[in-house]
Amino acid sequence: ADSAAAEQVERRLSEIVRAVDEANQASSKQMSLLSAMAMSPQHRHAIIVGTVLSALQQWSGINTFIAASNDVFIKAGVPQGSATLCSTAMATLNVVVTIGAASAIDSALGRRGLLLIGTAGQGLSLLPTSIAYMVGGPESKAVVYLSVMSVLGFVFFFAVAYGPVLWVYLNEIYPVEIRGTAVALASAMNWTSTLIVVFLQKYMPNSIAYSLFAGLCLFACVFTYMYVLETKGKSIDQSPFFATTQQQQQQQPPDEEAPTRTAQQQLQQQEGG
């Protein structure tokens, strides 16, 4: 048992040293996103998926309901004092659920499963109000109550999944040579989408907003189902978008002396420094 444990420790140490060595080599081979997209379909797929997911997070309407919640509720017929209370309840719900969702990211559902449930839940939460607007019009009493309940449900599902999962997922799907620039691109797309959506909300009636965002959330669910690959249980250098390349590398005969040689070189460099 002791020898088996020792072998396992040695194997893990070798894997760590090899991973550090590969990361150092990759960092010296940084490439632009355009070069990466031209180099292989795997790079192209990962960059496009990450960028679209980032944009859809904001096009789902989250910052319309967070940043302009009072306006949304007042447009729906909620009294101004009650609208402020509803906005406070929504913000509190968002914080509490987000904190609780941290442990759910590594649950059996995985990143992809959480995104599917979250985006579907967001879209379905907004549908009743959208239908109420179409059937009863903006003067309907049902709109007043449904608008608040829809937003609370929407925020709950966002805080459980899309809110926290996106930023974990982005750092797991890109190889190290493009990770920094690819995440930066996704973040820039996210903020650009935020500015556009919040600006358009000022000129958008609730009857259009609820229907539009419900449709975009359901589109995000379909996009996730079709293109998002699961990363749960994989190390940060095992992107599922590059599984074929990684398998080919693993099938190559390993150089058993390489990890030891790399470690010795690192120690010599430290002693020399």
Side-chain angles (χ1 to χ4, degrees):
D2 291 341
S3 61
E7 290 178 1
Q8 185 176 4
V9 170
E10 290 179 2
R11 184 168 60 254
R12 289 296 298 160
L13 286 174
S14 297
E15 291 174 357
I16 291 171
V17 172
R18 183 163 55 250
V20 171
D21 188 42
E22 291 174 355
N24 290 334
Q25 291 177 1
S27 63
S28 65
K29 300 177 182 178
Q30 293 288 328
M31 63 177 68
S32 69
L33 294 183
L34 290 177
S35 299
M37 293 182 72
M39 185 178 72
S40 74
Q42 291 94 339
H43 283 82
R44 223 167 19 249
H45 189 185
I47 292 169
I48 292 172
V49 167
T51 304
V52 173
L53 273 182
S54 296
L56 285 174
Q57 188 199 56
Q58 294 304 318
W59 281 105
S60 71
I62 183 60
N63 270 306
T64 292
F65 298 117
I66 294 292
S69 56
N70 270 22
D71 290 340
V72 172
F73 292 142
I74 290 172
K75 285 180 183 179
V78 178
Q80 187 166 358
S82 299
T84 301
L85 290 176
C86 292
S87 296
T88 302
M90 179 200 64
T92 303
L93 176 69
N94 186 30
V95 172
V96 171
V97 176
T98 299
I99 293 173
S103 59
I105 293 178
D106 286 321
S107 69
L109 293 171
R111 282 67 154 147
R112 184 173 182 271
L114 280 173
L115 285 174
L116 286 171
I117 293 172
T119 50
Q122 287 175 245
L124 294 176
S125 294
L126 298 180
L127 274 182
T129 305
S130 175
I131 294 171
Y133 269 109
M134 289 187 288
V135 174
E139 304 300 326
S140 171
K141 289 185 178 180
V143 166
V144 179
Y145 300 102
L146 286 175
S147 64
V148 177
M149 298 307 297
S150 288
V151 171
L152 291 177
F154 174 91
V155 169
F156 172 83
F157 281 107
F158 178 86
V160 165
Y162 219 156
V165 170
L166 173 67
W167 304 108
V168 174
Y169 188 74
L170 289 177
N171 284 280
E172 293 176 333
I173 63 173
Y174 299 124
V176 67
E177 65 268 17
I178 63 167
R179 185 173 298 143
T181 50
V183 172
L185 173 64
S187 181
M189 182 62 69
N190 188 272
W191 279 104
T192 302
S193 299
T194 299
L195 293 173
I196 295 172
V197 171
V198 172
F199 174 78
L200 291 178
Q201 184 275 332
K202 295 181 179 181
Y203 307 98
M204 192 185 303
N206 278 7
S207 56
I208 295 177
Y210 278 89
S211 299
L212 175 64
F213 295 136
L216 286 170
C217 288
L218 295 177
F219 173 76
C221 183
V222 173
F223 180 85
T224 299
Y225 179 79
M226 294 180 64
Y227 299 109
V228 171
L229 303 179
E230 182 58 68
T231 59
K232 180 180 179 293
K234 300 182 182 296
S235 68
I236 199 168
D237 58 341
Q238 292 179 323
S239 170
F241 291 93
F242 299 84
T244 302
T245 304
Q246 292 164 357
Q247 288 175 359
Q248 292 174 350
Q249 292 175 348
Q250 291 173 357
Q251 289 173 357
Q252 295 176 354
D255 183 359
E256 296 181 355
E257 295 180 358
T260 304
R261 186 168 59 248
T262 303
Q264 290 174 348
Q265 290 173 352
Q266 292 176 349
L267 288 174
Q268 290 173 358
Q269 290 175 356
Q270 292 175 359
E271 291 174 356

